[in-house]
Amino acid sequence: PLEVIHGVEKALVDSSEEVRLYAIVALRGVADNGGVPEQVLETVGKVMKDVNKKVRWMSADLITVAASDEDTLQLAVDAMREAMTDTSEESRTIAAAVLARAAGKTTIPQDVLDALAVALTDEAKEVRVDAARAISSAAGRVGFSGQA
């Protein structure tokens, strides 16, 4: 019901990180079962600047799954740009996976593609796989010429 979704939307800005995480998990479930209203996705976009890494990752992931609006999708791409160079393998893996999903739906800026190209040599196999998947999706979307 819409009342529940709007209640969860309010939980996205709760002072508790745990409440914010569970709110995103709940919205991901809604997205998987039919869709999240665009207005709620705008709030999720604001949460992508959260101090908690997991809140940021999960918000970006939710956006790439649920959003169809180009501007909203770009919020997820922007949020993951910095995570691609994080010292945490987990951060890089999640960022590459989110960007791989986003690449099939929106334009990936050149600096993010450059970060993904660097990630092809990452020590973590999962980062390399998702970086390759993201570049592949982006190439199919924009039709790379293969020329430098």
Side-chain angles (χ1 to χ4, degrees):
L2 204 51
E3 304 90 40
V4 173
I5 291 174
H6 289 298
V8 172
E9 179 183 16
K10 290 177 183 163
L12 289 170
V13 294
D14 193 273
S15 61
S16 165
E17 291 175 356
E18 189 173 16
V19 169
R20 295 192 307 274
L21 282 169
Y22 279 115
I24 294 165
V25 169
L27 288 173
R28 177 61 194 263
V30 171
D32 290 343
N33 291 303
V36 176
E38 203 65 39
Q39 163 196 339
V40 176
L41 289 176
E42 289 173 19
T43 304
V44 173
K46 294 173 188 164
V47 175
M48 283 192 285
K49 295 179 180 167
D50 198 279
V51 296
N52 181 293
K53 279 185 189 181
K54 288 189 179 184
V55 171
R56 290 193 307 266
W57 298 335
M58 292 175 70
S59 298
D61 177 64
L62 173 60
I63 291 283
T64 62
V65 169
S68 57
D69 172 73
E70 185 80 18
D71 291 336
T72 307
L73 285 162
Q74 283 300 317
L75 291 172
V77 171
D78 292 343
M80 294 298 100
R81 174 183 280 121
E82 194 174 309
M84 284 302 302
T85 58
D86 198 289
T87 57
S88 161
E89 180 180 317
E90 184 181 25
S91 289
R92 295 189 315 276
T93 300
I94 291 169
V98 167
L99 288 169
R101 219 176 353 272
K105 297 174 96 176
T106 189
T107 303
I108 304 297
Q110 187 61 49
D111 65 321
V112 177
L113 287 172
D114 293 344
L116 287 165
V118 170
L120 292 172
T121 61
D122 197 281
E123 60 193 40
K125 177 185 173 191
E126 294 84 9
V127 174
R128 295 192 310 272
V129 168
D130 283 325
R133 193 163 54 98
I135 290 170
S136 173
S137 293
R141 186 171 163 75
V142 299
F144 284 180
S145 67
Q147 298 176 358

